[in-house]
Amino acid sequence: MSSTKTIGIIGGGQLGQMMAISAIYMGHKVITLDPASDCPSSRVSEVIAAPYDDVDALRQLADRCDILTYEFENVDADGLDAVIKDGQLPQGTELLRISQNRIFEKDFLSNKAQVTVAPYKVVTSSLDLEDIDLSKNYVLKTATGGYDGHGQKVITSAEDLEEANALANSAECVLEEFVNFDLEISVIVSGNGKDVTVFPVQENIHRNNILSKTIVPARISDRLADRAKAIAVKIAEQLNLSGTLCVEMFATADDIIVNEIAPRPHNSGHYSIEACDFSQFDTHILGVLGAPLPVINLHEHAVMLNVLGQHVEAAERYVTENPSAHLHMYGKLEAKHNRKMGHVTLFSNEPDNVVEFGKGIDF
Ligand code: AMP
């Protein structure tokens, strides 16, 4: 039997594109499902242009591919269940359902994986906010549909309750205690259904709730870094993980608290393309194919800067002045404000001297 597979990727954005590039290096063929025929993946794969909930298009993809995977978690899990054959989606639809809904996700993390999350409660209407102790701070998050800070309300005083009540009455929510973290970190872990491999701990700096800069290794103690990696491995093992998963966490002075999981390669893992011996996309493809997974080594301390629509010119100028920095552009046709257009990875063990494009510094 040929070891060359046809891999179907649901979603043709930058994550799908970088998965496809890894798959192509390994000799596989890729077909992408995306609503836009000119999506980033169209540069490297055939595209079936159809909405994600188009069951006929999903069936066509399933019929033509050996293995299916997805680049984002808001895939129609029921639609997928209706068309996939046994074992064709190694990541499974259960993981999709967990990561699509913060209530399921919190329940999975705290009760099944038994890792530490911020104290939380499920909120079904504003009545559930009536008796909260306002000596503490909270974040109210809608259970579904939120991303990059959308669908969230921080509660620090009674004045925030009007907006919080409106949010709570508009959708099911979780109310989390606010974590006074030192750093936001994340860990990429990949599985092949049996074994897992884990990447170094990443430190993440957000601007306007969008990832702006990732520093690797994160500037936390070895003890906390080992703990963060052990938590990611524990979650992966509980899931019998296939493919790549990102675990986002908060690091406090002496603890690691899990915030959320993303069942796919993640923006904070892009540095791995150059800085590690295998990227998070390579291990994703190996993992969903059930292939043996390598131990991951970090070659050099790295910094990744996101290039948003408003940063494209600055980033292009930056790499002409710093030719050892790696510029990745995803091939998006329109550079909208805050749209992720690309990223830059460079090797540096002085991360504070690597200035984000969004910081208004002249390059
Ligand atoms: P999320 O959508 O859950 O990733 O949250 C977006 C951002 O809000 C995170 O990256 C944090 O900066 C912040 N955040 C979320 N939950 C909490 C929390 N419980 N305590 C403090 N900050 C939070």
Side-chain angles (χ1 to χ4, degrees), residues 25-340:
Y25 265 131
M26 295 176 203
H28 306 298
K29 186 174 179 248
V30 175
I31 305 176
T32 298
L33 174 72
D34 192 282
S37 57
D38 58 2
C39 61
S41 289
S42 68
R43 309 233 164 166
V44 292
S45 93
E46 178 185 339
V47 175
I48 298 173
Y52 295 123
D53 58 357
D54 180 334
V55 174
D56 286 339
L58 280 171
R59 183 167 293 116
Q60 190 194 340
L61 188 73
D63 285 346
R64 293 183 58 197
C65 295
D66 300 301
I67 288 285
L68 297 179
T69 183
Y70 46 79
E71 67 149 12
F72 70 114
E73 51 271 35
N74 285 319
V75 179
D76 177 5
D78 293 337
L80 265 180
D81 272 338
V83 303
I84 49 176
K85 302 171 199 88
D86 248 4
Q88 203 182 12
L89 181 77
Q91 291 156 286
T93 48
E94 190 52 31
L95 177 54
L96 273 180
R97 291 193 171 86
I98 291 172
S99 40
Q100 280 169 357
N101 185 313
R102 290 187 195 272
I103 299 172
F104 301 160
E105 183 179 51
K106 292 277 188 232
D107 177 55
F108 166 78
L109 290 169
S110 52
N111 298 324
K112 292 226 176 71
Q114 301 194 337
V115 296
T116 308
V117 299
Y120 75 98
K121 75 170 186 174
V122 174
V123 168
T124 53
S125 80
S126 56
L127 294 177
D128 295 319
L129 298 178
E130 273 179 357
D131 58 352
I132 60 172
D133 169 6
L134 284 172
S135 67
K136 293 179 184 163
N137 297 332
Y138 303 89
V139 190
L140 182 70
K141 303 178 180 178
T142 55
T144 60
Y147 66 96
D148 286 347
H150 294 264
Q152 296 192 8
K153 176 70 192 158
V154 175
I155 304 173
T156 58
S157 73
E159 280 162 32
D160 297 315
L161 283 178
E162 193 177 319
E163 260 184 64
N165 286 337
L167 189 63
N169 287 329
S170 72
E172 262 194 326
C173 293
V174 291
L175 180 75
E176 291 175 23
E177 279 187 23
F178 194 90
V179 179
N180 286 314
F181 54 81
D182 290 338
L183 292 178
E184 293 196 67
I185 60 170
S186 56
V187 175
I188 302 287
V189 57
S190 301
N192 61 8
K194 297 190 294 286
D195 305 312
V196 300
T197 193
V198 64
F199 286 72
V201 183
Q202 299 128 209
E203 173 181 335
N204 300 322
I205 296 166
H206 296 90
R207 237 162 247 291
N208 303 323
N209 280 314
I210 302 171
L211 183 66
S212 178
K213 178 174 180 178
T214 294
I215 297 166
V216 193
R219 292 169 292 180
I220 55 176
S221 67
D222 288 347
R223 188 184 67 81
L224 281 184
D226 287 346
R227 191 163 158 61
K229 286 164 89 167
I231 288 171
V233 168
K234 193 173 179 196
I235 292 169
E237 287 177 346
Q238 182 65 38
L239 290 164
N240 290 324
L241 181 69
S242 290
T244 289
L245 174 91
C246 180
V247 184
E248 295 182 61
M249 313 178 214
F250 302 124
T252 64
D254 56 4
D255 205 1
I256 302 287
I257 293 153
V258 177
N259 178 29
E260 60 181 2
I261 55 176
R264 52 169 170 78
H266 189 263
N267 195 168
S268 62
H270 290 354
Y271 73 93
S272 60
I273 295 174
E274 286 92 9
C276 296
D277 40 8
F278 287 79
S279 77
Q280 60 168 347
F281 302 100
D282 298 335
T283 54
H284 181 74
I285 296 298
L286 291 169
V288 294
L289 292 175
L293 292 170
V295 171
I296 301 301
N297 294 298
L298 179 71
H299 298 309
E300 298 247 18
H301 289 217
V303 178
M304 190 258 351
L305 303 176
N306 260 348
V307 179
L308 303 182
Q310 61 273 34
H311 307 145
V312 171
E313 281 173 25
E316 286 172 351
R317 213 171 327 131
Y318 182 72
V319 291
T320 58
E321 287 160 16
N322 298 275
S324 54
H326 298 263
L327 175 66
H328 291 244
M329 294 302 290
Y330 307 140
K332 293 184 185 176
L333 300 181
E334 208 188 333
K336 290 190 201 147
H337 187 82
N338 281 352
R339 186 177 200 198
K340 290 176 183 171

